[in-house]
Structures are given as C-alpha cells and as structure tokens.
C-alpha cells in the first residue's frame, strides 16, 4: 500500500510517501522557522497561510523524487490533531480533497502517535512492549506502549513541556527561536558546576514532570549575571549547560522509574527534544546499566515531519481504518482514546 502523508500541525509542512512493502520512498519538509523567528514563537495565522502555499509543490516534489504518479497512491494520511486548528485544517482539507478526487481512502493521524512511531522508520525498530518518552514543543509524556493504539499514560508535565522550557529559557537570554538547538550548542562550551539548577519533582514518587520552575530559575540566574556585570556570553553558555543538565537528568530519573515500574528495559524517545545529544547519551548509559536499549529516530524525524504521519497512517489503513469525507481536526486529543489495532 502506497500512502501519501501530510503534516501541518504547527510550523512545518511535511510530506512523505511510505510504501508498506518497500518502506519510505521520499519525504520533503518546509520549515517556517524563519517566518516566525522575528516574533519569537509561532504565529498561528501566518503558519496556516504558509501551509496553503507550500503543500501542493511539496506533494509534486515527493512524487517526482519517488518516480510515482497520483494514480499510484492508494491512500492519504494527514495530521488531524493535536495542534493549531487553522494549520491542521490545511492538511486535512488538502488530504480529503485529494482522496475524493483520486477515489482513495484518507485517515486522520494523531500527531503524537506519529512522533511515537517515528523510530519504526529506522533500520533497527523497537519491538512492543516498551516505555516511550515523548518530549516535544508541546508535550512531555511517559507512556507504556503495548502495541499501536495500546497506550497507557504513566506521567506527564503539569506545566511547560520540555521543549517549551528550552524555548522560553533561550528567549529570556535573547537567543533565537527554536531555543532547543541553540541551548544545546551553547551548553557544549559551558563551565561545569558554575550553576546548579534543581531537578524538579524527582524527590517524591510519581512520574509527572514540572519544568516551569527551571525557566524561572534561569531567569533569576540570568538577571543576577546582568546585575553584577558578568561576561554575558559566558553566562549564556553556563546557564545553558546548567539548564540542559537539569532537564536531561530529570528526564533520565523519571524514565528509569517508569521502566522499573513497568518491568521493561526498552525505551523509545521521540519528539524534537529527543534530538538532544546529551539526553541520548544519558539515557544510553542508563539503559546500558539496565541491560536494555534506547531507540530514537534520525534527527530530522525527531521534529515534525511527513514520514511519521505516512507511516502511522499506513499501519491504521492496513488494519482497515479510515475516515468518512468530513473534515475533522482536534486541537486537543488524548492519545489513550485512540483505537487499538
Ligand atoms: N537538540 C535539541 N535539544 C533540545 N531541544 C530541541 C532540540 N532540537 C529541537 N528541540 C526542541 O524540540 C521542539 C520542537 O519539537 P517538535 O517539532 O516535535 O515539537 P512541536 O511539534 O512543536 O510540538 P508537539 O509535537 O508537542 O505538537 C522545540 O521546542 C525545540 O526547541
Ligand atoms: Mg511535533
């Protein structure tokens, strides 16, 4: 089955062609980062308008790259939520219009299920069951995964998502959006031990997270450095390192707890923050000690992309699921409500 996947939940237009027999044939992405950078974050109306502009040329591009024609496509998959409603509607209307014109089925995919399954596109995919850490711009969740659609939420952030905390901390120090990669780069030249940030909610049982306090801690530290006339370039690097270490260690402690509680030693990390090298190294060390393994997608499939949507949609389509022609999207959508395959 050849599936055309469309992702438009936020600020990247992603398109991909996934073949259930041959794997990923082509994928293309247009990132709107430059468009939103001047505003320090995503402007929903601008995001929707840009998705409209990019979608059809990107579809043409992946078809050409894969040497396929519209008539070869067996089904469409699009992100139906969670995300920005206006942006989601672009992908949903485009997918449903093409499905109607081509006489093929379409399926709405849960964006976080897409992220969660992205490591399945790699050469050594994880086997069920596993624990998944979803760490993106809008979500921080620990999930027990027994199969596609068999999700048990073990814990989540009570306030900011991990990626959001990276973005806000970067912004308060005058760094560019998105902040995650900026902080990661600066942290490499940080002075170890100059600042020590708290590890929120690790001193009590449970698997929930809270990251908003870290951002406040970063703000106070940054203001102290400014008030005392410190070298601000070095202060940025040192705060970046202390902040990243706090996030990474907190995530690692909670992952270990979740694995022990579930009796599993297989961990999947997904979402934009899973591209973070320090996080990968920490988790690999921890899983090494547990004689387990950590799985993640190649960096460009950690952030939003069409390939994960084409893959996730294809699995559900193969199981016989699809939508009627109504265009439905959801800004909020609990992943546990998805049907099991
Ligand atoms: N190397 C990195 N280190 C830390 N954070 C990173 C890194 N690369 C990207 N990020 C963060 O990942 C986030 C973007 O990831 P992603 O595209 O998965 O999120 P999103 O789609 O905005 O949110 P969601 O998937 O929850 O709707 C941003 O917050 C960004 O700062
Ligand atoms: Mg995302």
């Amino acid at each position: 089955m050849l599936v055309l996947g469309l992702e438009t939940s936020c600020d990247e237009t992603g398109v991909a062609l996934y073949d259930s027999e041959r794997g990923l044939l082509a994928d293309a992405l247009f990132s709107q980062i430059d468009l939103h950078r001047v505003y320090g974050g995503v402007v929903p109306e601008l995001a929707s308008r840009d998705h409209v502009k990019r979608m059809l040329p990107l579809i043409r591009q992946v078809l050409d790259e894969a040497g396929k024609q519209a008539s070869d496509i067996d089904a469409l998959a699009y992100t139906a939520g969670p995300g920005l409603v206006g942006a989601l509607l672009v992908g949903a209307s485009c997918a449903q219009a093409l499905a109607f014109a081509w006489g093929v089925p379409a399926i709405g995919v849960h964006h976080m299920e897409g992220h969660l399954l992205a490591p399945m596109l790699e050469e050594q995919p994880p086997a069920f069951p596993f624990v998944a850490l979803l760490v993106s711009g809008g979500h921080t969740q620990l999930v027990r995964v027994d199969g596609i659609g068999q999700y048990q939420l073990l814990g989540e952030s009570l306030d900011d998502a991990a990626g959001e905390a990276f973005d806000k901390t970067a912004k308060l120090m005058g760094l560019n959006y998105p902040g995650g990669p900026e902080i990661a780069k600066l942290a490499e030249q940080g002075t170890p031990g100059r600042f020590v940030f708290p590890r929120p909610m690790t001193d009590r049982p449970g698997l929930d997270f809270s990251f908003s306090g870290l951002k406040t801690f970063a703000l106070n530290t940054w203001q102290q450095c400014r008030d005392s006339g410190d070298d601000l370039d070095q202060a940025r690097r040192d705060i970046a390192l202390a902040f990243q270490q706090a996030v990474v260690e907190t995530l690692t402690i909670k992952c270990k707890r979740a694995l022990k509680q579930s009796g599993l030693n297989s961990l999947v990390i997904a979402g934009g923050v899973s591209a973070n090298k320090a996080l990968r190294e920490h988790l690999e060390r921890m899983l090494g000690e547990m004689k387990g393994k950590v799985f993640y997608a190649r960096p460009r499939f950690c952030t939003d992309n069409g390939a994960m949507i084409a893959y996730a949609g294809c699995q559900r389509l193969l199981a016989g699921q699809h939508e009627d022609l109504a265009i439905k999207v959801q800004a909020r959508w609990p992943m546990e409500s998805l049907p099991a395959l």
Side-chain angles (χ1 to χ4, degrees):
M1 176 184 279
L2 184 63
V3 178
L4 177 65
L6 311 181
E7 155 63 39
T8 64
S9 68
C10 190
D11 59 343
E12 4 253 354
T13 320
V15 177
L17 267 179
Y18 180 82
D19 185 313
S20 54
E21 304 294 314
R22 293 170 54 209
L24 187 67
L25 301 188
D27 72 288
L29 186 87
F30 183 85
S31 170
Q32 305 175 355
I33 282 174
D34 290 337
L35 180 70
H36 301 289
R37 185 169 280 144
V38 281
Y39 305 99
V42 178
V43 183
E45 177 63 21
L46 295 183
S48 314
R49 290 184 198 189
D50 207 60
H51 287 308
V52 173
K53 248 198 257 174
R54 308 290 169 187
M55 185 54 83
L56 293 177
L58 285 175
I59 293 176
R60 171 57 53 213
Q61 184 182 328
V62 295
L63 284 172
D64 288 348
E65 260 171 43
K68 296 285 179 190
Q69 296 179 345
S71 55
D72 296 322
I73 291 170
D74 298 307
L76 282 112
Y78 60 92
T79 306
L84 304 169
V85 166
L88 290 166
L89 280 171
V90 177
S93 348
C94 185
Q96 289 286 22
L98 292 176
F100 180 63
W102 296 341
V104 297
I107 187 150
V109 172
H110 192 290
H111 181 77
M112 297 314 292
E113 178 171 79
H115 275 305
L116 173 75
L117 297 177
M120 296 292 184
L121 292 162
E122 300 304 320
E123 235 165 70
Q124 290 186 345
F128 302 113
F130 52 75
V131 168
L133 172 71
L134 301 177
V135 267
S136 58
H139 294 81
T140 303
Q141 296 184 327
L142 272 165
V143 186
R144 184 193 162 104
V145 181
D146 286 288
I148 294 180
Q150 292 175 261
Y151 309 128
Q152 186 195 344
L153 185 66
L154 303 173
E156 64 184 332
S157 179
L158 304 176
D159 41 58
D160 291 354
E164 188 180 0
F166 268 95
D167 295 338
K168 287 179 174 171
T169 298
K171 191 174 178 179
L172 68 88
M173 296 194 290
L175 301 172
N176 274 334
Y177 173 83
E182 301 275 325
I183 298 240
K185 203 163 57 190
L186 287 178
E188 284 173 20
Q189 299 158 45
T191 317
R194 178 172 170 204
F195 302 118
V196 180
F197 282 35
R199 275 56 174 154
M201 294 182 71
T202 52
D203 57 354
R204 59 186 113 156
L207 295 170
D208 287 333
F209 305 91
S210 166
F211 289 113
S212 68
L214 280 182
K215 166 196 70 193
T216 312
F217 206 90
L219 178 63
N220 292 338
T221 312
W222 173 242
Q223 275 168 348
Q224 276 162 21
C225 292
R226 284 192 1 187
D227 293 347
S228 53
D230 283 2
D231 170 357
L232 290 184
D233 286 333
Q234 192 55 42
R236 272 194 196 91
R237 297 181 196 119
D238 297 343
I239 291 172
L241 177 63
F243 170 82
Q244 177 174 274
Q245 278 179 334
V247 174
V248 164
E249 258 186 46
T250 303
L251 292 172
T252 306
I253 290 167
K254 296 284 165 117
C255 284
K256 187 173 182 178
R257 221 178 259 179
L259 288 162
K260 285 204 163 149
Q261 183 181 307
S262 317
L264 299 172
N265 66 352
S266 186
L267 178 74
V268 164
I269 54 171
V273 183
S274 72
N276 187 276
K277 252 172 60 190
L279 177 64
R280 291 178 172 198
E281 283 165 13
H282 257 72
L283 291 173
E284 261 165 11
R285 201 171 321 133
M286 191 258 287
L287 265 298
E289 285 161 12
M290 292 178 77
K291 309 253 176 297
K293 197 164 158 47
V294 52
F295 298 86
Y296 39 76
R298 66 198 89 164
R300 71 193 173 93
F301 292 163
C302 288
T303 43
D304 292 352
N305 64 86
M308 66 184 195
I309 302 304
Y311 175 83
C314 184
Q315 305 315 306
R316 290 194 171 274
L317 287 155
L318 286 172
Q321 297 178 15
H322 63 87
E323 315 291 335
D324 55 28
L325 277 176
I327 292 165
K328 277 177 285 188
V329 299
Q330 300 183 65
R332 290 175 185 280
W333 187 6
M335 206 167 65
E336 309 92 273
S337 69
L338 293 176
L341 286 203

